[in-house]
Short mmCIF file of all heavy atoms in Angstrom, two decimals:
data_model
loop_
_atom_site.label_atom_id
_atom_site.label_comp_id
_atom_site.label_asym_id
_atom_site.label_seq_id
_atom_site.Cartn_x
_atom_site.Cartn_y
_atom_site.Cartn_z
N SER A 1 0.84 -1.21 0.02
CA SER A 1 -0.01 0.00 -0.01
C SER A 1 0.87 1.24 0.00
O SER A 1 2.03 1.20 0.44
CB SER A 1 -0.93 0.01 1.21
OG SER A 1 -0.18 -0.03 2.44
N VAL A 2 0.31 2.34 -0.48
CA VAL A 2 1.04 3.60 -0.62
C VAL A 2 0.25 4.71 0.05
O VAL A 2 -0.98 4.79 -0.08
CB VAL A 2 1.23 3.94 -2.12
CG1 VAL A 2 1.98 5.27 -2.27
CG2 VAL A 2 1.97 2.85 -2.83
N ILE A 3 0.99 5.56 0.80
CA ILE A 3 0.41 6.77 1.35
C ILE A 3 1.15 7.93 0.73
O ILE A 3 2.39 8.04 0.82
CB ILE A 3 0.54 6.82 2.88
CG1 ILE A 3 -0.21 5.64 3.53
CG2 ILE A 3 0.04 8.14 3.41
CD1 ILE A 3 0.06 5.54 5.02
N CYS A 4 0.46 8.80 0.04
CA CYS A 4 1.04 9.96 -0.60
C CYS A 4 0.78 11.16 0.30
O CYS A 4 -0.36 11.51 0.56
CB CYS A 4 0.39 10.17 -1.99
SG CYS A 4 1.17 11.51 -2.93
N LEU A 5 1.85 11.74 0.80
CA LEU A 5 1.79 12.81 1.80
C LEU A 5 2.32 14.12 1.24
O LEU A 5 3.37 14.17 0.60
CB LEU A 5 2.60 12.41 3.03
CG LEU A 5 2.55 13.36 4.23
CD1 LEU A 5 1.21 13.20 4.98
CD2 LEU A 5 3.71 13.05 5.21
N ASN A 6 1.60 15.21 1.53
CA ASN A 6 2.08 16.54 1.25
C ASN A 6 1.54 17.46 2.36
O ASN A 6 0.63 18.27 2.16
CB ASN A 6 1.69 17.06 -0.12
CG ASN A 6 2.45 18.33 -0.50
OD1 ASN A 6 3.48 18.64 0.12
ND2 ASN A 6 1.96 19.06 -1.48
N ARG A 7 2.03 17.18 3.57
CA ARG A 7 1.54 17.79 4.83
C ARG A 7 0.22 17.16 5.28
O ARG A 7 -0.08 17.08 6.46
CB ARG A 7 1.46 19.31 4.74
CG ARG A 7 2.81 19.96 4.45
CD ARG A 7 2.75 21.46 4.61
NE ARG A 7 4.04 22.05 4.24
CZ ARG A 7 4.32 23.33 4.31
NH1 ARG A 7 3.39 24.18 4.75
NH2 ARG A 7 5.47 23.76 3.90
N HIS A 8 -0.61 16.78 4.31
CA HIS A 8 -1.81 16.00 4.59
C HIS A 8 -1.77 14.78 3.70
O HIS A 8 -0.94 14.69 2.81
CB HIS A 8 -3.09 16.83 4.34
CG HIS A 8 -3.25 17.18 2.90
ND1 HIS A 8 -2.54 18.20 2.28
CD2 HIS A 8 -4.03 16.61 1.93
CE1 HIS A 8 -2.91 18.28 1.01
NE2 HIS A 8 -3.80 17.33 0.76
N VAL A 9 -2.64 13.81 3.97
CA VAL A 9 -2.69 12.62 3.12
C VAL A 9 -3.45 12.97 1.84
O VAL A 9 -4.65 13.21 1.87
CB VAL A 9 -3.35 11.43 3.83
CG1 VAL A 9 -3.50 10.25 2.87
CG2 VAL A 9 -2.54 11.02 5.05
N CYS A 10 -2.71 13.05 0.73
CA CYS A 10 -3.32 13.40 -0.55
C CYS A 10 -4.15 12.24 -1.10
O CYS A 10 -5.26 12.44 -1.65
CB CYS A 10 -2.24 13.78 -1.56
SG CYS A 10 -1.17 15.11 -1.05
N CYS A 11 -3.62 11.03 -0.99
CA CYS A 11 -4.29 9.84 -1.45
C CYS A 11 -3.59 8.64 -0.85
O CYS A 11 -2.46 8.72 -0.38
CB CYS A 11 -4.29 9.76 -2.99
SG CYS A 11 -2.67 9.82 -3.77
N HIS A 12 -4.28 7.49 -0.85
CA HIS A 12 -3.67 6.28 -0.33
C HIS A 12 -4.39 5.08 -0.92
O HIS A 12 -5.50 5.18 -1.43
CB HIS A 12 -3.77 6.24 1.19
CG HIS A 12 -5.15 6.19 1.75
ND1 HIS A 12 -5.82 5.01 1.98
CD2 HIS A 12 -6.02 7.17 2.07
CE1 HIS A 12 -7.03 5.29 2.45
NE2 HIS A 12 -7.18 6.61 2.49
N GLY A 13 -3.73 3.95 -0.92
CA GLY A 13 -4.33 2.73 -1.45
C GLY A 13 -3.22 1.86 -2.06
O GLY A 13 -2.04 2.03 -1.78
N ASN A 14 -3.64 0.88 -2.89
CA ASN A 14 -2.63 0.04 -3.53
C ASN A 14 -1.91 0.84 -4.60
O ASN A 14 -2.39 1.90 -5.04
CB ASN A 14 -3.25 -1.24 -4.07
CG ASN A 14 -4.27 -0.99 -5.15
OD1 ASN A 14 -4.04 -0.21 -6.09
ND2 ASN A 14 -5.41 -1.66 -5.07
N PRO A 15 -0.72 0.39 -5.09
CA PRO A 15 0.05 1.17 -6.06
C PRO A 15 -0.70 1.51 -7.32
O PRO A 15 -0.57 2.64 -7.83
CB PRO A 15 1.24 0.24 -6.37
CG PRO A 15 1.38 -0.59 -5.14
CD PRO A 15 0.00 -0.81 -4.61
N GLU A 16 -1.50 0.57 -7.82
CA GLU A 16 -2.22 0.83 -9.06
C GLU A 16 -3.24 1.98 -8.88
O GLU A 16 -3.36 2.85 -9.75
CB GLU A 16 -2.97 -0.43 -9.51
CG GLU A 16 -2.07 -1.55 -9.99
CD GLU A 16 -1.54 -2.39 -8.83
OE1 GLU A 16 -1.79 -2.05 -7.65
OE2 GLU A 16 -0.85 -3.39 -9.09
N HIS A 17 -3.87 2.01 -7.74
CA HIS A 17 -4.87 3.08 -7.47
C HIS A 17 -4.18 4.42 -7.31
O HIS A 17 -4.59 5.40 -7.95
CB HIS A 17 -5.65 2.73 -6.20
CG HIS A 17 -6.51 3.88 -5.69
ND1 HIS A 17 -7.70 4.20 -6.29
CD2 HIS A 17 -6.31 4.72 -4.67
CE1 HIS A 17 -8.22 5.24 -5.63
NE2 HIS A 17 -7.38 5.56 -4.67
N VAL A 18 -3.11 4.45 -6.51
CA VAL A 18 -2.45 5.74 -6.20
C VAL A 18 -1.80 6.31 -7.46
O VAL A 18 -1.83 7.52 -7.67
CB VAL A 18 -1.40 5.55 -5.09
CG1 VAL A 18 -0.51 6.76 -4.95
CG2 VAL A 18 -2.09 5.24 -3.75
N SER A 19 -1.22 5.45 -8.30
CA SER A 19 -0.50 5.95 -9.47
C SER A 19 -1.40 6.61 -10.49
O SER A 19 -0.91 7.32 -11.36
CB SER A 19 0.24 4.78 -10.15
OG SER A 19 -0.67 3.83 -10.68
N THR A 20 -2.71 6.44 -10.36
CA THR A 20 -3.65 7.11 -11.29
C THR A 20 -4.51 8.17 -10.60
O THR A 20 -5.37 8.76 -11.22
CB THR A 20 -4.59 6.06 -11.94
OG1 THR A 20 -5.31 5.36 -10.92
CG2 THR A 20 -3.81 5.07 -12.79
N ASP A 21 -4.26 8.33 -9.28
CA ASP A 21 -5.04 9.30 -8.52
C ASP A 21 -4.63 10.74 -8.94
O ASP A 21 -3.47 11.05 -9.09
CB ASP A 21 -4.79 9.12 -7.02
CG ASP A 21 -5.75 9.95 -6.16
OD1 ASP A 21 -5.54 11.19 -6.08
OD2 ASP A 21 -6.68 9.39 -5.64
N PRO A 22 -5.62 11.65 -9.17
CA PRO A 22 -5.30 13.01 -9.58
C PRO A 22 -4.35 13.73 -8.64
O PRO A 22 -3.49 14.51 -9.09
CB PRO A 22 -6.67 13.70 -9.61
CG PRO A 22 -7.62 12.58 -9.89
CD PRO A 22 -7.08 11.40 -9.17
N ALA A 23 -4.47 13.48 -7.34
CA ALA A 23 -3.60 14.14 -6.38
C ALA A 23 -2.13 13.69 -6.53
O ALA A 23 -1.22 14.50 -6.45
CB ALA A 23 -4.07 13.83 -4.95
N TYR A 24 -1.96 12.41 -6.80
CA TYR A 24 -0.62 11.87 -7.05
C TYR A 24 -0.04 12.48 -8.33
O TYR A 24 1.10 12.90 -8.37
CB TYR A 24 -0.70 10.34 -7.16
CG TYR A 24 0.55 9.69 -7.69
CD1 TYR A 24 1.61 9.38 -6.83
CD2 TYR A 24 0.68 9.40 -9.04
CE1 TYR A 24 2.77 8.78 -7.33
CE2 TYR A 24 1.83 8.75 -9.54
CZ TYR A 24 2.87 8.48 -8.68
OH TYR A 24 3.99 7.88 -9.18
#
């Protein structure tokens, strides 16, 4: 699982989900 952080949690989930998330 991946947590994408930029002072707050922008997005999180499995790699496939996060890699296509607009915030990522």
